[in-house]
Amino acid sequence: MDIRAFWKAVLSQDKINLPKYFHNYASIRWHCTNELFTVDEYVRANCEYPGDWNGSIERIETIDDRIITVVRVYPADNSSSFHVVSFLRIHNNRILELDEYWADDGSAPQWRQAMKIGNPIR
């Protein structure tokens, strides 16, 4: 599977081509919000999300039938930023399972800043 093309379809909210990356009976789970989607529901949630989006793949790991990605996602106006870690199980070159963990990017919490530990990654 072309993982870069998949992410391009996700970020461009390409409702025509996005379903082609999935088996019809695939399971999509967004664990941070406790949601389980069918392919149609996932495409609708992704493609009807407001705004225009950009992103960059920061890491891709492949292990047997699994692909793991880390992607930074942000609106076209750069008003916010998110990271998503995705675990994809591939069968016959299509996604059978997709487990995702989304997080808002931001500053360390005040209690940790007060400890004066850690340094910025970038």
Side-chain angles (χ1 to χ4, degrees):
M1 188 182 116
D2 185 345
I3 193 66
R4 293 183 186 284
F6 166 72
W7 271 106
K8 182 178 179 184
V10 169
L11 293 168
S12 66
Q13 298 171 304
D14 184 348
K15 65 183 171 186
I16 302 301
N17 288 308
L18 195 51
K20 297 175 186 177
Y21 291 94
F22 292 90
H23 285 280
N24 291 337
Y25 49 89
S27 295
I28 298 97
R29 293 174 286 270
W30 286 354
H31 292 272
C32 296
T33 51
N34 193 31
E35 295 175 274
L36 170 66
F37 297 106
T38 65
V39 173
D40 289 341
E41 291 170 334
Y42 170 81
V43 170
R44 184 172 177 203
N46 185 77
C47 295
E48 293 182 19
Y49 197 92
D52 294 321
W53 295 88
N54 293 313
S56 57
I57 298 172
E58 294 184 352
R59 186 171 182 171
I60 300 172
E61 299 288 339
T62 303
I63 305 167
D64 300 323
D65 65 344
R66 312 262 177 181
I67 301 172
I68 304 164
T69 62
V70 177
V71 178
R72 179 176 170 256
V73 178
Y74 48 93
D77 67 3
N78 285 310
S79 60
S80 57
S81 178
F82 310 90
H83 271 84
V84 58
V85 177
S86 303
F87 295 84
L88 301 88
R89 183 171 165 224
I90 309 300
H91 180 69
N92 291 335
N93 212 33
R94 290 192 176 181
I95 300 167
L96 184 60
E97 295 178 345
L98 173 59
D99 290 277
E100 291 192 322
Y101 300 84
W102 285 83
D104 297 347
D105 292 340
S107 299
Q110 188 60 44
W111 68 268
R112 230 172 20 250
Q113 289 180 27
M115 294 174 73
K116 299 188 185 314
I117 61 172
N119 291 295
I121 295 170
R122 298 181 253 317

